[in-house]
Amino acid sequence: MHDILAITFPIYAAILIGYAIVARGWFSAADMRTLGKYVLNIALPALLFKAVASRDLAEIFHPGYLTVFLLGGLAAIAVAFCWFTFAASDPARRAVATLGSSCPNSGFIGYPVMLLVFPDLAGIVLALNFLVENVVLIPICLILMDMSKDGDHGSILKRIANILWGVAKRPMVIGLALGIVVSVSGISLPSPAMRLFEMLAASAAALSLIVIGGSLFGLPAKGNRALATQIAVGKLVVHPALVALVVVALPLLGMTLSPELAVAAILSAAMPMFGIYAVLAQERGLEGLASLAMLIATSAAFVTLSLLLLWLT
């Protein structure tokens, strides 16, 4: 347990620092949004580029991991959608609950955790998670949210195209794509350039946790606590359990996965929901529900991640 706390304590200590500096007024909520933009648009793209560009593509592309994370995520979406069809009172709540139950925070929390557990694999795991989440899982959930609107929404293909185009324009996607191009082409970047990317990437882990903590301050603690708790349980318990089932069944598909990557996949699914969850839920007027679910999940993850690490390691 001492070894497990050596991993989880620094993560949550940094989150607590972020919460405290906003609570004391040293930084504002607007400052946290600005720092979050830096992490999303500069630090994490640099990290993804460095992690991919500095390795041969064969080292990065792990079909077994992608299969596990993809099928586990799709199963989480399906289970959450079915459950919240009965537990939620309307399609909008069902869509928001499904989004929160199946899309982990791989960048702001997952990467710092992986950096402590599997430092040599952390960048690769982030790239693989990011690929699955942004190309498949998040677009599916956004389509569900879009379909929960009242009225005519036009062609489903057009909505899908708009969502995918929005994903393609993100700096993290561009960083990942450029890294793949460099890796495939065999281009060797000058060492000063790589040191620049290493310096920017090094700022991602700690700052992302500070941003998460600062963003939690001021979140409403009122709302549908029963539904918010169910969303948190879906994210912290059901999603990783489904990924673990896929890991067990993977040999039936004729694939293999190293023990380290199997643990990384399950841990990645056990992260709280991603940071912009409440922002996306705001489009349906459900930011209070999403904020409460995120607050519960992020707080409870200290216990669930510690127990999961104890079991897996």
Side-chain angles (χ1 to χ4, degrees):
M1 180 56 77
H2 178 270
D3 294 336
I4 301 305
L5 290 177
I7 296 172
T8 54
F9 174 77
I11 298 296
Y12 275 83
I15 291 175
L16 183 60
I17 290 172
Y19 187 93
I21 61 176
V22 175
R24 293 187 63 87
W26 296 349
F27 286 81
S28 66
D31 295 330
M32 291 297 106
R33 287 192 290 272
T34 300
L35 293 175
K37 288 181 181 179
Y38 164 79
V39 173
L40 283 174
N41 297 326
I42 298 178
L44 287 178
L47 169 65
L48 287 168
F49 177 82
K50 171 185 170 293
V52 176
S54 60
R55 291 178 171 88
D56 186 84
L57 191 62
E59 297 180 57
I60 305 163
F61 186 70
H62 294 275
Y65 185 96
L66 288 171
T67 300
V68 164
F69 201 65
L70 173 60
L71 293 182
L74 291 175
I77 290 175
V79 170
F81 186 85
C82 292
W83 174 260
F84 290 113
T85 296
F86 300 99
S89 58
D90 57 74
R93 288 179 181 272
R94 178 181 61 194
V96 169
T98 301
L99 176 67
S101 301
S102 55
C103 296
N105 197 332
S106 294
F108 281 74
I109 300 181
Y111 174 71
V113 171
M114 293 301 160
L115 199 59
L116 293 176
V117 182
F118 301 118
D120 295 335
L121 293 174
I124 295 175
V125 169
L126 175 63
L128 295 173
N129 289 353
F130 183 79
L131 187 63
V132 172
E133 291 165 12
N134 286 271
V135 175
V136 182
L137 303 184
I138 294 176
I140 288 176
C141 291
L142 291 180
I143 290 169
L144 292 177
M145 290 184 63
D146 193 60
M147 292 176 66
S148 70
K149 293 180 181 178
D150 295 327
D152 182 20
H153 313 299
S155 169
I156 182 66
L157 293 178
K158 183 178 179 180
R159 296 204 299 273
I160 294 173
N162 289 336
I163 290 172
L164 293 178
W165 175 241
V167 168
K169 294 188 294 183
R170 293 178 183 176
M172 290 177 66
V173 173
I174 295 172
L176 177 60
L178 291 177
I180 292 174
V181 170
V182 172
S183 176
V184 171
S185 65
I187 297 174
S188 180
L189 294 180
S191 56
M194 290 306 295
R195 282 197 291 271
L196 170 63
F197 287 113
E198 289 174 3
M199 181 176 64
L200 294 173
S203 67
L207 191 54
S208 64
L209 294 172
I210 296 294
V211 169
I212 284 292
S215 301
L216 291 177
F217 179 78
L219 290 183
K222 296 181 179 180
N224 191 332
R225 296 189 180 183
L227 186 57
T229 302
Q230 292 174 51
I231 296 171
V233 170
K235 186 70 222 59
L236 301 181
V237 179
V238 177
H239 188 186
L242 292 171
V243 171
L245 287 175
V246 180
V247 169
V248 173
L250 192 63
L252 299 177
L253 301 176
M255 297 182 178
T256 59
L257 195 62
S258 69
E260 293 82 5
L261 285 176
V263 172
I266 298 171
L267 280 177
S268 295
M271 300 300 156
M273 58 282 290
F274 60 159
I276 61 171
Y277 176 49
V279 176
L280 294 176
Q282 190 173 16
E283 298 178 6
R284 300 292 173 274
L286 295 171
E287 64 273 16
L289 170 65
S291 297
L292 183 56
M294 190 164 67
L295 182 62
I296 293 172
T298 306
S299 303
F302 177 76
V303 176
T304 58
L305 284 176
S306 297
L307 293 176
L308 192 57
L309 281 166
L310 184 63
W311 176 57
L312 292 174
T313 58

